[in-house]
Amino acid sequence: MTNLELWPIGNCQVSALADERGGLVWGCQPQVDGDPLFCSLLGPDRDGAQETAAAAGEWRIELDDMIESRATYLKNTPILLTRMTDERGGAIEVIDFCPRFERSGRMYRPVAFIRIVRPVAGNPRIRVKLNPATDWGSADAERTSGTNHVRYLLEPQPLRLSTDAPVGRVLDGRSFRAERALHFFLGPDEPFVGNVEQEAARMLHQTRAHWRQWVRGLAIPLEWQRVVIRCAITLKLCQHEETGAIVAALTTSIPEHDGSERNWDYRYCWIRDAYYTVQALNRLGALDVLENYLTYLRNLIDGAEDGRLQPLYSVSGEARLEERAAEGLRGYRDHGPVRVGNAAYVQTQHDVYGQIVLSSAQAFFDHRLYRMANEQDFAELEQVGMRALESFDEPDAGLWELRTKNNVHTYSSVMCWAACDRLAKIARELGMGERAEYWADSADRLRATIERAAWVEDEGRFGATFGGDDVDASLLQMLDLQFLKPDDPRFTRTLDAVERGLRRGEHMLRYATEDDFGLPVTAFNFCTFWLIEALHLTGRTAEARELYQRMLERLTRAGLLSEDTDFQTGELWGNYPQTYSLVGLINCAGLLSRPWSSVR
């Protein structure tokens, strides 16, 4: 049965998800929010092409009579090694990666997927089944072939498979004996320069060295190092390096639960999700992600009218993300619809102003950056702050993007307060006393309004909306945003209310009220990590560690998480891998780990 035991590969230009049986089942080109050439994960609504006998939208290396298949990553890389064994003792290893390394003074990260098949025992027979899809799964890509290549006429750009395997066997999908290593380079439609075996080996070596060197620069905690490293690498893969955008997930339309129709396209850059991603990677010292993302933000701000920004954009900065259903795909486990685009781009979500300021603030203080922010950047950021001032007590769709309800959400208002608070600190750093005073006074004014309007008097706590008494998990972020301190009794009472209303054993709901699709029935993994943070900061560290360990039991074998968990069965649902969830794994590891000094 289709599940989320999937292993991401990528190079910050393209990515793919591999299953544990040698298949690339999801991947888009020429970038993460493009048309999927691999889409079998979402069930193309047709049979595979007869001439290839391959599933539609899939690239599978299949071992005849296979009885076992195990996947693992090469240490500290997103390079996948899958070992398959047949019933006669024959075995192969398949290495999958997207090349990424520095060449000629710039990063080489082409739209390309490399697969290397090595026989390692016995007399294995394999099938190579490559059948890229086009037009969102509705058709097989047309193809032409030569002596050592196959061209696939994909949109917006064709791709070429260069290989030293028998091309005829690739085209017809029939089995043949693998008696030597075979190499496959699916990339730009141009003649492959050099020997494909030697070039694939060189690219493998350089890509491995690149990722291992990147990981060496991370400041990781003493405990749970493998978890943190895998999450950091995967978050890095979620950045489209050409522009700096960070996507919320690599997939679209994995439903939040069975038959929910909560199927959303997450292959875009949410200002909110990117803020949390940058925050987590900053704690590990991955400044390259921050610097690239700040470039993306500055371009968005330059294009904004009066500082007005929408919640999400494409990785190229495109504003219009009109939502439609892909008719050629049935959906994950046949749970449609498969959505392309996301109508949330037209929503009003005021928290984005705070997240832009908070993401940008470090650039005014951190002397490690190649380009520190200056007074002109501050003036532009003030336009965003003005939008926060004007919007903080106005209704919006909130961070959970409710499609038919608007309220004044406490989380959005606190984020707007944080924008003013951080602008005051930036102004002081720049020696701009008058502006510092203005923004500090503004922050005080917003704080007073929030403390009054979001207060639930008879329970002595904060509510999720102005004038309301509902709770949602985002109230726990009042600590991380520095609006409240852990020993503030107002927070501890709010935490108690959130636990009573939203905690389901080891998991947390976002909220427990009906939305556009009814009552939520799965836990939102990021909210569980917010709870873990709050428990630790309020002195319940043993409980927090125990809960974190239970969350680690939910990891896929790739060491990752999706967006949601069924709190009855423990099954993962939602888009994958989900940046929110990986951020939670990193942040909680850093908070809960024993210090390095404990081993000295």
Side-chain angles (χ1 to χ4, degrees):
M1 181 176 69
T2 301
N3 58 40
L4 293 181
E5 288 294 346
L6 302 170
W7 302 69
I9 62 171
N11 62 5
C12 304
Q13 173 67 39
V14 290
S15 58
L17 298 180
D19 66 20
E20 298 188 295
R21 302 176 306 281
L24 299 187
V25 299
W26 179 258
C28 303
Q29 67 93 17
Q31 57 200 34
V32 66
D33 58 1
D35 189 5
L37 72 162
F38 308 129
C39 58
S40 64
L41 179 67
L42 298 185
D45 195 16
R46 58 197 173 80
D47 295 327
Q50 293 301 310
E51 67 269 21
T52 66
E58 187 170 279
W59 187 2
R60 184 165 299 281
I61 307 295
E62 189 174 273
L63 178 65
D64 284 0
D65 303 317
M66 184 178 73
I67 59 171
E68 185 179 37
S69 180
R70 292 187 179 181
T72 186
Y73 284 115
L74 300 188
K75 182 180 178 181
N76 295 351
T77 77
I79 301 170
L80 183 63
L81 186 150
T82 305
R83 183 183 176 101
M84 305 181 208
T85 305
D86 66 29
E87 60 188 20
R88 296 172 299 279
I92 62 169
E93 288 181 347
V94 180
I95 296 174
D96 292 313
F97 69 103
C98 297
R100 175 180 171 83
F101 49 86
E102 190 169 332
R103 186 176 78 174
S104 302
R106 59 185 182 271
M107 192 61 64
Y108 176 70
R109 41 173 171 75
V111 178
F113 307 89
I114 295 179
R115 312 196 76 180
I116 301 173
V117 181
R118 296 171 175 166
V120 293
N123 300 308
R125 294 184 65 85
I126 67 170
R127 301 170 190 263
V128 180
K129 297 181 174 182
L130 175 53
N131 189 20
T134 189
D135 192 18
W136 278 89
S138 63
D140 298 325
E142 294 183 21
R143 64 209 66 191
T144 62
S145 62
T147 305
N148 299 111
H149 75 270
V150 184
R151 294 181 68 238
Y152 297 93
L153 305 182
L154 296 159
E155 293 292 341
Q157 61 187 49
L159 295 179
R160 176 186 297 232
L161 176 72
S162 299
T163 182
D164 53 7
V167 168
R169 290 291 183 253
V170 175
L171 290 170
D172 63 28
R174 286 186 290 177
S175 70
F176 61 98
R177 183 177 287 195
E179 296 186 330
R180 58 181 176 82
L182 302 171
H183 306 82
F184 303 86
F185 181 94
L186 180 64
D189 183 26
E190 55 194 38
F192 190 88
V193 178
N195 178 290
V196 67
E197 176 180 3
Q198 294 174 359
E199 289 301 304
R202 179 183 62 81
M203 290 181 188
L204 173 62
H205 173 76
Q206 290 181 278
T207 299
R208 183 179 186 182
H210 166 81
W211 283 107
R212 289 169 67 99
Q213 185 65 28
W214 186 80
V215 168
R216 278 172 57 85
L218 299 178
I220 60 174
L222 173 62
E223 296 184 85
W224 307 296
Q225 292 185 27
R226 289 186 179 89
V227 172
V228 170
I229 289 170
R230 182 53 49 200
C231 290
I233 289 172
T234 307
L235 288 179
K236 173 73 172 172
L237 293 182
C238 289
Q239 181 166 62
H240 185 65
E241 196 166 65
E242 182 177 329
T243 63
I246 300 169
V247 299
L250 298 180
T251 59
T252 178
S253 302
I254 309 296
E256 293 182 16
H257 61 84
D258 190 347
S260 69
E261 294 193 19
R262 300 172 189 261
N263 304 3
W264 312 116
D265 191 349
Y266 277 10
R267 302 166 306 129
Y268 305 112
C269 183
W270 269 259
I271 302 301
R272 180 185 312 110
D273 300 54
Y275 155 69
Y276 282 110
T277 299
V278 165
Q279 180 192 52
L281 290 176
N282 281 351
R283 289 169 176 166
L284 302 180
L287 287 180
D288 56 331
V289 177
L290 170 65
E291 289 184 307
N292 288 338
Y293 179 60
L294 290 180
T295 297
Y296 181 77
L297 275 188
R298 290 174 186 132
N299 281 306
L300 293 184
I301 293 169
D302 286 348
E305 295 183 9
D306 300 323
R308 185 184 299 273
L309 290 152
Q310 60 192 51
L312 67 151
Y313 297 83
S314 79
V315 297
S316 301
E318 180 80 25
R320 293 180 64 86
L321 301 173
E322 293 183 2
E323 190 174 299
R324 64 180 178 86
E327 301 298 335
L329 296 170
R330 297 190 305 272
Y332 179 77
R333 297 187 188 171
D334 293 336
H335 295 308
V338 172
R339 291 188 170 96
V340 184
N342 198 303
Y345 84 93
V346 300
Q347 287 186 351
T348 299
Q349 297 176 27
H350 299 315
D351 57 308
V352 300
Y353 303 116
Q355 286 136 7
I356 288 173
V357 174
L358 267 62
S359 295
S360 303
Q362 184 173 341
F364 292 90
F365 296 87
D366 196 334
H367 285 263
R368 296 173 298 170
L369 298 174
Y370 287 128
R371 181 196 181 277
M372 292 187 66
N374 54 34
E375 288 83 354
Q376 183 177 348
D377 295 311
F378 178 72
E380 294 171 353
L381 206 57
E382 282 193 295
Q383 295 299 312
V384 178
M386 289 299 182
R387 292 298 310 165
L389 273 178
E390 296 167 7
S391 307
F392 86 101
D393 59 353
E394 296 292 328
D396 71 354
L399 79 162
W400 308 126
E401 301 185 339
L402 303 176
R403 295 198 168 198
T404 59
K405 297 179 183 178
N406 274 352
N407 284 294
V408 181
H409 290 90
T410 303
Y411 174 85
S412 296
S413 300
V414 172
M415 265 294 180
C416 290
W417 166 84
C420 299
D421 178 73
R422 302 322 190 262
L423 284 167
K425 293 176 180 178
I426 294 168
R428 291 191 199 100
E429 177 69 13
L430 294 174
M432 303 171 70
E434 183 178 337
R435 300 311 298 162
E437 183 177 351
Y438 173 82
W439 286 110
D441 289 346
S442 297
D444 289 343
R445 177 166 59 85
L446 268 60
R447 172 182 282 278
T449 300
I450 295 167
E451 290 179 336
R452 180 184 68 256
W455 186 246
V456 182
E457 181 64 37
D458 59 345
E459 297 185 37
R461 63 167 177 87
F462 288 100
T465 58
F466 281 18
D469 61 1
D470 288 343
V471 292
D472 81 37
S474 66
L475 289 169
L476 302 180
Q477 285 291 282
M478 297 175 98
L479 282 189
D480 189 68
L481 295 174
Q482 303 172 22
F483 189 83
L484 296 177
K485 295 182 178 179
D487 59 356
D488 188 325
R490 297 176 298 173
F491 180 77
T492 55
R493 288 193 294 267
T494 300
L495 171 58
D496 289 343
V498 170
E499 281 197 87
R500 285 195 307 272
L502 304 180
R503 187 167 179 177
R504 302 291 185 270
E506 304 161 8
H507 301 287
M508 284 282 289
L509 300 176
R510 290 168 290 187
Y511 46 82
T513 53
E514 286 200 10
D515 59 17
D516 312 322
F517 297 87
L519 287 171
V521 299
T522 51
F524 196 77
N525 291 325
F526 197 25
C527 296
T528 304
F529 291 117
W530 284 350
L531 173 63
I532 293 169
E533 292 176 9
L535 293 176
H536 167 69
L537 294 171
T538 54
R540 297 161 62 182
T541 298
E543 185 180 353
R545 284 180 64 94
E546 182 179 354
L547 189 53
Y548 185 67
Q549 286 292 161
R550 298 306 297 269
M551 287 301 293
L552 295 182
E553 295 171 9
R554 305 296 186 205
L555 300 182
T556 63
R557 286 187 283 275
L560 305 171
L561 284 173
S562 63
E563 180 182 48
D564 306 278
T565 300
D566 185 317
F567 50 79
Q568 301 289 343
T569 67
E571 184 175 11
L572 295 177
W573 289 87
N575 282 305
Y576 175 90
Q578 174 74 8
T579 55
Y580 268 160
S581 301
L582 307 187
V583 164
L585 285 162
I586 290 172
N587 288 345
C588 289
L591 282 174
L592 299 173
S593 173
R594 290 181 290 116
W596 281 96
S597 59
S598 67
V599 297
R600 292 174 186 166

